[in-house]
Amino acid sequence: MNHIFFKIKWVVIFFCAVVTHYSVAQRKIIEKNSTISLRNQGTIFNEQKLVGYYQFYEFQKIDNDNTEYLVKILDDNLNEVFSEKFIEFRIFELKEVSFNNQSFLFKFDSNSFTIGSRRFYIYDQSKKLRRVEFPNGKHEKLWNNQQLVNLPDNINKSLYSIPDKGFLHFGNIKPKTLLISLIDSKGAVLWENEEPDGKNEYRTVHVLATHKTKIVCLKNVISDYSAYNSQFGNNITQYMTVYDLQTGKKEKEVKLEDENYKYQVLSNQINTNSTEEILGVFYGKNEKIDNAHAQGLFSANISSDGILTNIKRSIHSDYLRKSLPVANYKTEEEIKSLYFHKVFRVKDKIFAVAENFWLQNNTGKLALRIIGANTSMYDFTMKDVFIFRLNNDFTFEKLDVFEKEKNKFNLPAGYGVFGLPKLANIVKRDNAFDYLFTQIDENENQFIINYRSAEKEGEVDTYNVKSIIYNGGTFSNDMIRLNTEESILLVPMPAKFGNVLLSGYIKGEKRIEMRIEKINY
């Protein structure tokens, strides 16, 4: 079944909000009032904890150059925190929202596809939405953060909260210069620091841990930006980089590689014993990590100086051989390729979540190609969810496979010549894998993996969120329907642990319904 239903551009009606509580779910119904359009909505996290949601509306056109917008913030129970109107460019998009226990910082973009003006607005304890004034305007000419190899939970993210201190923003002025800015909780720009390189490099930075005077970050560096979309892959290196929080100056930088391997970080967490840990996959030293199959999993602790200690590795082929046959798979060849979405720790166990995939020739598209359609002869095909379980010493314990319907992503023309791992990274960037997100409880005893599933029930297509629940060493399952009789489609988003937010436009009644649905666990 093809991915045609998860990428919907919502044009809706403006609504005044009424909150109603039900026994099965918290619900927010937004009723018709006057016509405007919902541009986008998303989640707000603070130190990896979900704190609420944002909604961005186009309210009314002022003139040929300006439009009035409305931004709305909801808490994690869908109660409204605030809503504010303001006037800005005619083409305007909300890219990110961050919260640091005191203030909300909003990053807007006047053009999503080219270099254009950026705007930052802050909503602080004064309870007013105000524009952040930068001293030199360099932030307005930042390049967009196009990212292929990245922390999966932070794809296209560049704005980070520093609890009770402010916000950090990272962006490229041009491929050769990285601009780092610190904005305090009242919207004052404390400092801006340029990090020139002198090479044709493109860099993205992601905060892993904050200390009193230091920030430990993961940095991705593409060595040749002009070949960014090379079908053969790029020379991408990940670094552990430490910055001085008072000045933004780089204190230390260490390559995430050794004499034999390159490392790619997929997640980071502070464990119950307060140790900071990174987890991910590793490759051969000479491989291009955006166009190579990972050789195995790794974990390491990081110090406040960015030093990696206690590195542990486990090779895929070893534990695949020990697991087979599993589910409907008898050989490694039948599994095809694996894309790892997340590697994380729960108490003394490490879990890795993957989907298997392959490229499938679709001869039915030949007629479309002949008449000039922009489509490839190949489909990127995804199948099942694989969960690898390892012990604390990184010895393999068990592989669990959760079967789902085969799903296809239609590739644009020309993409069939790309390497398969490169295509997988593109599909991940475009949010087309079925994997959605993982929730881990605060005590690290349980977790829930959520993914999309498109299935047939007789002659009816059904679209669902399926949940894999781990509790007490065993797995169970639950399912939430996304398409209902009254709604065209409910779109799933993260919610507090054990819940999923569903948001949908009810066409007949011209309203949006948002509700928090509990997962049975």
Side-chain angles (χ1 to χ4, degrees):
M1 190 170 290
N2 293 342
H3 259 302
I4 57 175
F5 50 89
F6 292 113
K7 297 194 174 186
I8 296 176
K9 184 177 181 181
W10 293 34
V11 178
V12 300
I13 309 295
F14 180 55
F15 319 108
C16 62
V18 178
V19 178
T20 308
H21 294 279
Y22 292 79
S23 59
V24 295
Q26 287 156 302
R27 177 175 294 184
K28 188 179 191 69
I29 297 173
I30 310 181
E31 313 241 357
K32 180 178 178 180
N33 188 7
S34 60
T35 57
I36 68 167
S37 61
L38 176 64
R39 300 292 296 270
N40 66 324
Q41 59 183 1
T43 52
I44 305 172
F45 284 85
N46 184 14
E47 292 192 306
Q48 301 185 13
K49 182 180 179 181
L50 182 119
V51 295
Y53 306 92
Y54 66 84
Q55 294 179 323
F56 182 51
Y57 297 89
E58 182 178 321
F59 194 76
Q60 62 179 336
K61 182 179 178 181
I62 301 299
D63 52 39
N64 290 334
D65 298 319
N66 298 287
T67 297
E68 186 174 27
Y69 299 96
L70 181 141
V71 65
K72 186 188 295 285
I73 298 295
L74 309 174
D75 67 15
D76 60 353
N77 290 315
L78 302 185
N79 299 309
E80 184 175 310
V81 177
F82 74 89
S83 62
E84 289 278 336
K85 296 176 187 175
F86 64 102
I87 296 173
E88 265 291 0
F89 298 113
R90 181 176 59 84
I91 301 175
F92 211 53
E93 184 177 351
L94 178 55
K95 305 295 288 186
E96 295 181 64
V97 182
S98 188
F99 177 66
N100 74 336
N101 298 330
Q102 296 181 358
S103 307
F104 292 90
L105 188 66
F106 301 81
K107 177 186 175 181
F108 294 92
D109 187 351
S110 66
N111 192 321
S112 299
F113 304 102
T114 61
I115 301 175
S117 293
R118 272 55 172 176
R119 294 284 189 270
F120 292 81
Y121 279 77
I122 196 159
Y123 185 89
D124 58 16
Q125 294 176 352
S126 69
K127 297 185 178 181
K128 291 183 179 179
L129 186 68
R130 297 177 289 106
R131 183 174 163 184
V132 176
E133 299 294 339
F134 282 75
N136 53 36
K138 290 182 179 180
H139 71 288
E140 295 189 2
K141 298 297 180 183
L142 294 173
W143 289 50
N144 285 300
N145 285 351
Q146 301 183 49
Q147 304 164 10
L148 282 187
V149 174
N150 214 326
L151 282 169
D153 295 336
N154 288 344
I155 288 179
N156 298 324
K157 183 176 174 63
S158 60
L159 186 62
Y160 292 86
S161 63
I162 309 297
D164 303 316
K165 292 184 179 179
F167 304 88
L168 277 168
H169 181 263
F170 300 89
N172 290 274
I173 302 176
K174 47 190 175 181
K176 297 181 180 180
T177 304
L178 179 72
L179 180 67
I180 309 171
S181 308
L182 179 65
I183 304 162
D184 73 11
S185 298
K186 294 183 179 180
V189 180
L190 300 182
W191 51 255
E192 287 188 297
N193 182 54
E194 292 185 30
E195 186 182 309
D197 190 87
K199 302 175 184 178
N200 191 32
E201 292 185 340
Y202 183 83
R203 288 162 285 177
T204 60
V205 182
H206 306 280
V207 174
L208 296 179
T210 57
H211 301 274
K212 188 174 182 179
T213 60
K214 299 178 182 179
I215 320 153
V216 180
C217 300
L218 174 71
K219 181 187 288 183
N220 297 300
V221 178
I222 301 176
S223 60
D224 184 3
Y225 185 76
S226 62
Y228 176 76
N229 283 319
S230 169
Q231 68 192 61
F232 305 109
N234 297 97
N235 290 314
I236 300 175
T237 303
Q238 292 196 329
Y239 292 83
M240 198 63 62
T241 307
V242 179
Y243 292 99
D244 185 325
L245 188 55
Q246 308 304 316
T247 64
K249 301 292 185 181
K250 181 170 62 177
E251 289 191 351
K252 192 167 189 175
E253 191 162 81
V254 180
K255 277 187 179 182
L256 284 177
E257 61 181 48
D258 55 31
E259 58 184 16
N260 297 312
Y261 302 109
K262 287 182 179 178
Y263 299 96
Q264 179 190 350
V265 180
L266 294 183
S267 58
N268 67 291
Q269 60 191 84
I270 300 176
N271 298 318
T272 50
N273 61 1
S274 297
T275 58
E276 292 166 356
E277 185 177 26
I278 55 173
L279 304 104
V281 294
F282 66 89
Y283 304 83
K285 178 68 176 288
N286 297 318
E287 291 181 318
K288 295 180 178 180
I289 67 175
D290 69 329
N291 200 23
H293 294 283
Q295 294 187 14
L297 306 173
F298 88 96
S299 77
N301 294 333
I302 54 174
S303 70
S304 61
D305 293 320
I307 303 299
L308 300 189
T309 61
N310 196 28
I311 300 176
K312 298 175 183 176
R313 288 184 297 269
S314 183
I315 298 175
H316 294 330
S317 57
D318 290 347
Y319 42 76
L320 278 176
R321 277 195 300 268
K322 294 176 183 177
S323 302
L324 294 169
V326 60
N328 292 321
Y329 301 100
K330 296 179 181 178
T331 66
E332 289 185 54
E333 289 72 23
E334 292 178 0
I335 294 174
K336 308 291 187 183
S337 300
L338 288 170
Y339 189 91
F340 283 85
H341 295 290
K342 194 172 183 70
V343 185
F344 59 94
R345 178 185 296 277
V346 173
K347 292 295 186 184
D348 58 348
K349 302 290 182 183
I350 294 93
F351 293 87
V353 185
E355 278 182 78
N356 64 328
F357 65 94
W358 61 92
L359 207 58
Q360 185 170 327
N361 194 352
N362 189 339
T363 55
K365 292 184 179 179
L366 180 58
L368 294 174
R369 291 293 305 276
I370 290 173
I371 63 174
N374 183 30
T375 184
S376 171
M377 292 287 293
Y378 298 92
D379 289 328
F380 187 93
T381 305
M382 300 151 273
K383 186 64 174 68
D384 296 327
V385 177
F386 290 68
I387 302 178
F388 297 86
R389 190 186 319 188
L390 285 73
N391 297 308
N392 190 48
D393 61 0
F394 249 60
T395 56
F396 173 72
E397 181 178 308
K398 189 178 180 183
L399 168 62
D400 292 278
V401 178
F402 295 84
E403 297 178 67
K404 59 182 177 68
E405 289 295 319
K406 182 168 64 175
N407 208 343
K408 296 178 182 179
F409 180 75
N410 305 132
L411 294 171
Y415 274 58
V417 300
F418 280 59
L420 192 54
K422 179 86 172 185
L423 284 174
N425 279 302
I426 293 172
V427 170
K428 180 67 175 182
R429 180 196 64 189
D430 291 345
N431 192 33
F433 273 103
D434 285 334
Y435 170 85
L436 290 170
F437 50 86
T438 296
Q439 300 168 303
I440 304 172
D441 78 333
E442 292 183 356
N443 297 319
E444 298 182 6
N445 292 317
Q446 308 172 69
F447 65 81
I448 302 173
I449 296 166
N450 299 284
Y451 64 94
R452 297 177 287 217
S453 176
E455 301 172 0
K456 279 271 189 187
E457 289 186 4
E459 297 299 318
V460 179
D461 293 334
T462 66
Y463 309 119
N464 315 293
V465 172
K466 288 193 172 181
S467 301
I468 302 169
I469 303 109
Y470 177 83
N471 189 3
T474 60
F475 285 108
S476 60
N477 297 274
D478 193 25
M479 183 182 76
I480 300 172
R481 182 68 60 84
L482 292 178
N483 57 326
T484 67
E485 293 181 1
E486 64 176 5
S487 177
I488 297 175
L489 177 69
L490 294 171
V491 177
M493 297 170 63
K496 50 194 174 183
F497 182 81
N499 298 270
V500 176
L501 174 69
L502 303 179
S503 180
Y505 176 51
I506 301 173
K507 186 176 181 180
E509 301 178 27
K510 295 184 178 180
R511 62 182 174 89
I512 281 181
E513 179 176 332
M514 300 176 68
R515 71 171 185 260
I516 297 175
E517 195 81 33
K518 183 173 175 57
I519 300 168
N520 294 316
Y521 67 96

